[in-house]
Amino acid sequence: MTTQGTQPDLLYSEEEEALRAAVRDLLADHCDAGRVIARTESDAPYDPALWKALSDGMGLAGLLVPEEQGGQGATHREVAVVLEELGRAVAPVPYLTSAVVATEALLACMGEDADALLTELASGRTVGALAVALSAAPDGAHRTVRDEGGLLYGELTGIADATAAHVLLVPAADGGLYAVDTSAVTVTPQISLDLTRPLATVTLDGVRGRRLGDAGPAVRRGLRAGAGLLASEQLGLADWCLTETVRHLKKRKQFNRPVGGFQALKHRLAQLWLEVVNTRAAARNAADALAAGSADTDVAVAVAQAYAAPVAVHAAEEALQLHGGIGMTWEHPVHLYLKRAKADSIAYGTAGAHREALVRLVDLQAP
């Protein structure tokens, strides 16, 4: 693991590659495109069997949780590898929101309640969600609920994976972060572009919660980790789009020659390959900085999101166009990748918001 003050390690270790192979094999068996599309057409977009296999079978829900609290005691580098593979499969599981964002928020809290909830999230049998809009940036503003006489009141919108969660981490106006069971609130699904990561409105009407700690640092830590590791999901998504598009263009023929042999398409694919390679470097740097607790973590996260978000969208758009007529059909999975890429592009802050944050972080003066 990289230590603070040393050069970042952007390469994958043997253990990380072994983890990748195991996760990819599992997803190949449980998360083919046909199953994902079928779930988006149903009232149950999440795959509980896949989540159980990932969390209970492989212990991936607790990668960031210390061993003494029931987790694996791993780092953000291993989580990034998992997210790459989940992005490649557009897996309908609440991994990023529960195993990363909610877990990181809890790690910023202290006390028996926070520790107990961490252990529950690490097991995967309890799914958590930070009740902050998916669009909120790490340093951006977000809604809170009112605390009146020990009861919480308010409405929070754009909460990702709230419909899959068992417990919500709710920031209140009094500065506290409260654990609230979803059975005590009203969760109303919203119309979402990405049907594999749906959003919901959460309404609290006189709900009692368990105070876990201060909301400010907890929310920031959770959103920062979410933004930094989202780049790995976007990398996996973009890599799938490039790989599948190249494969299609090698097989598809026009004028008795492979379509991929035309010079104009070669140029487009070469540009896309370069963007994906650069995204891998930015995403790995962010994951390594988070794992090492680097002083440059904020910069690494801002760079990763500023670059990865538009690349993922570009890769999905190119895949859709270059697959031709078949890419426009509902049966082909490329539309899942385009929707996820577009939704991810505003998750945890837009690319523009991260560029503005980067300007402040490095003190870059406007001309």
Side-chain angles (χ1 to χ4, degrees):
M1 184 176 70
T2 308
T3 57
Q4 189 168 342
T6 64
Q7 292 296 319
D9 181 6
L10 306 186
L11 302 178
Y12 299 98
S13 67
E14 291 183 8
E15 292 80 6
E16 289 164 357
E17 290 292 5
L19 174 62
R20 178 195 307 282
V23 175
R24 186 173 294 190
D25 287 345
L26 177 66
L27 292 172
D29 293 336
H30 293 82
C31 194
D32 60 90
R35 293 186 190 183
V36 177
I37 293 174
R39 285 201 166 274
T40 64
E41 297 174 326
S42 72
D43 294 330
Y46 297 102
D47 189 338
L50 176 59
W51 176 250
K52 181 177 176 61
L54 289 168
S55 58
D56 192 22
M58 298 185 68
L60 300 182
L63 284 180
L64 292 177
V65 179
E67 292 183 23
E68 59 269 21
Q69 292 170 295
Q72 304 299 317
T75 74
H76 302 78
R77 291 175 58 91
E78 288 79 18
V79 173
V81 170
V82 174
L83 281 168
E84 283 183 38
E85 295 308 309
L86 294 178
R88 288 180 62 88
V90 200
V93 290
Y95 189 83
L96 180 65
T97 48
S98 183
V100 176
V101 178
T103 295
E104 283 281 332
L106 282 172
L107 287 170
C109 301
M110 299 181 67
E112 293 182 0
D113 285 342
D115 290 346
L117 189 49
L118 265 178
T119 300
E120 292 177 23
L121 294 192
S123 72
R125 290 184 288 274
T126 296
V127 174
L130 182 64
V132 172
L134 182 63
S135 59
D139 291 316
H142 58 83
R143 285 188 178 182
T144 59
V145 298
R146 305 188 313 278
D147 176 20
E148 297 180 3
L151 300 179
L152 303 176
Y153 297 84
E155 183 178 271
L156 303 168
T157 60
I159 310 302
D161 293 336
T163 54
H166 301 104
V167 61
L168 298 171
L169 307 182
V170 181
D174 68 352
L177 185 70
Y178 291 84
V180 177
D181 293 337
T182 52
S183 59
V185 304
T186 301
V187 178
T188 307
Q190 296 179 230
I191 297 176
S192 307
L193 175 63
D194 179 11
L195 299 177
T196 64
R197 183 179 286 151
L199 307 179
T201 296
V202 175
T203 305
L204 299 89
D205 188 12
V207 177
R208 190 172 298 279
R210 306 186 305 277
R211 182 170 178 135
L212 303 170
D214 294 335
V219 170
R220 186 182 186 281
R221 177 168 175 171
L223 296 183
R224 186 177 74 163
L229 293 175
L230 177 63
S232 292
E233 177 184 290
Q234 291 163 322
L235 167 62
L237 185 156
D239 191 55
W240 182 92
C241 290
L242 174 61
T243 301
E244 291 303 312
T245 302
V246 170
R247 179 180 295 133
H248 174 75
L249 293 182
K250 283 182 177 180
K251 294 191 302 181
R252 175 86 168 124
K253 290 188 177 181
Q254 193 175 63
F255 306 116
N256 205 32
R257 61 179 291 189
V259 174
F262 292 104
Q263 191 75 5
L265 297 189
K266 285 183 178 181
H267 287 168
R268 290 170 67 171
L269 292 172
Q271 176 62 34
L272 188 56
W273 177 84
L274 184 62
E275 292 177 6
V276 171
V277 170
N278 289 338
T279 299
R280 178 171 287 108
R284 291 302 293 169
N285 183 50
D288 189 72
L290 285 164
S294 169
D296 293 327
T297 298
D298 288 344
V299 171
V301 168
V303 169
Q305 263 313 298
Y307 192 83
V311 169
V313 173
H314 181 218
E317 290 175 342
E318 288 286 72
L320 183 69
Q321 292 181 17
L322 296 180
H323 270 81
I326 192 174
M328 301 293 177
T329 64
W330 183 261
E331 290 76 15
H332 196 280
V334 70
H335 66 90
L336 297 174
Y337 291 83
L338 179 58
K339 293 169 184 174
R340 172 66 70 88
K342 293 292 285 186
D344 280 357
S345 70
I346 60 172
Y348 307 119
T350 63
H354 285 283
R355 284 192 292 268
E356 291 177 2
L358 185 60
V359 167
R360 295 192 300 270
L361 289 167
V362 300
D363 193 26
L364 181 62
Q365 301 297 319

